Amino acid sequence: MHLLGRNVIERLARFGYGARGIVYCIVGGLALLAALGRGGRADDSESAIRWVLAGPFGAVLVGLIAVGLLGFALWRFVEGLTDADRRGTSAKGLVVRVAHVGSAVIYTGLAITAGSLALGLGRRSGGGDGMQDWTAWLLSKPFGLWLVGLIGVGVMGGGVAFLVKAATGKVTDRLKLAGSQCWWAKPVGQFGYAARGIAFLIIGGFFIAAAWYQASSEVKGLAGAFAALRAQPYGWVLLAIVAAGHFAFGAFGLIQARFRHIDAPDIDETDDAVLRAIRPNP
């Protein structure tokens, strides 16, 4: 039973890495086409899912993506709550684990959106508007201004972490590949993580601007980050580079789906960790 539990979590995690990889390949590919003036749209993950939905067998494919993203969210929860990756309880380890739980929440939301679209339930195009809605709600609360600013700092911190990981070449540390076999995977991962880092820095800046101006309209997601790059001098070049990087990030997700080391705990152990997290000792 325990071995079965580990296998289920591992398979869901690998399926999840693959689903996330496909989504970012589409995001990056469409944005790259837009930068080169070949059609396409520089938009976010939800728009990429809608693009799949409009194609042949769209509902089936989007349904599979929804299941995969839900599996990825589950794995992120497991990583954060059970320390499956052995991050430890140092300050750095705890920050990474909290970030994984936050990532799980985000991908759960994206999985729900994909599932709703696959089932034909529909959903208004949210993206940045959804973020603006809850940012407006947060700004209306006591200390909301500071919380929005802290969110921005946290997102920018994530961007710095992506850039550091890309610069140090530690993107392949958790792949089940020998050092001599990583020559083809490492540059793909570094390019992808660098592009995600740039996007996170811009998105975090939007949150800080929203706090500074007390205006939720300042908050934008990945589509806004792409637009900000496109608005710069030689913006099409900047957009093309970052878009290609997002495609590389997606491709690296597919590599992770195959070669990532996943030390999944027993389902019983996962349940115990969740209970400890939500029910502290008296």
Side-chain angles (χ1 to χ4, degrees), residues 46-256:
E46 183 181 330
S47 294
I49 292 171
R50 288 179 180 275
W51 182 84
V52 175
L53 185 67
F57 306 105
V60 174
L61 295 176
V62 170
L64 291 173
I65 288 173
V67 174
L69 293 174
L70 201 57
F72 184 75
L74 172 64
W75 170 240
R76 281 299 197 222
F77 271 123
V78 169
E79 280 184 299
L81 296 179
T82 71
D83 195 19
D85 277 338
R86 308 294 187 268
R87 303 281 182 179
T89 55
S90 65
K92 179 181 177 182
L94 290 174
V95 167
V96 171
R97 290 169 62 185
V98 169
H100 283 162
V101 173
S103 173
V105 173
I106 292 170
Y107 282 103
T108 297
L110 188 59
I112 292 171
T113 296
S116 298
L117 292 172
L119 293 173
L121 301 179
R123 183 181 186 278
R124 69 181 177 86
S125 183
D129 291 339
M131 287 196 296
Q132 289 174 4
D133 289 344
W134 66 256
T135 301
W137 176 84
L138 198 56
L139 285 171
S140 69
K141 304 301 177 183
F143 304 106
L145 185 75
W146 295 99
L147 290 175
V148 172
L150 285 174
I151 290 172
V153 171
V155 173
M156 293 187 77
V160 171
F162 273 123
L163 291 171
V164 169
K165 196 166 185 176
T168 57
K170 292 183 178 181
V171 295
T172 56
D173 285 358
R174 297 186 183 276
L175 296 185
K176 294 188 292 186
L177 291 172
S180 59
Q181 297 175 306
C182 284
W183 64 270
W184 56 276
K186 181 175 286 188
V188 175
Q190 287 179 287
F191 187 24
Y193 273 78
R196 287 297 284 162
I198 292 170
F200 270 50
L201 287 176
I202 297 172
I203 294 169
F206 289 148
F207 277 97
I208 292 174
W212 182 264
Y213 294 110
Q214 301 184 42
S216 62
S217 59
E218 295 290 334
V219 173
K220 300 176 181 66
L222 183 57
F226 284 152
L229 289 168
R230 187 69 179 86
Q232 304 306 310
Y234 299 100
W236 73 270
V237 177
L238 296 176
L239 176 58
I241 292 171
V242 175
H246 276 74
F247 183 90
F249 184 76
F252 191 71
L254 298 177
I255 295 171
Q256 289 175 303

Side-chain angles (χ1 to χ4, degrees), residues 243-278:
H246 276 74
F247 183 90
F249 184 76
F252 191 71
L254 298 177
I255 295 171
Q256 289 175 303
R258 174 63 180 85
F259 296 108
R260 217 265 194 192
H261 177 74
I262 296 175
D263 187 12
D266 294 332
I267 289 180
D268 290 345
E269 294 174 5
T270 305
D271 291 342
D272 291 342
V274 172
L275 288 174
R276 286 196 299 270
I278 64 177

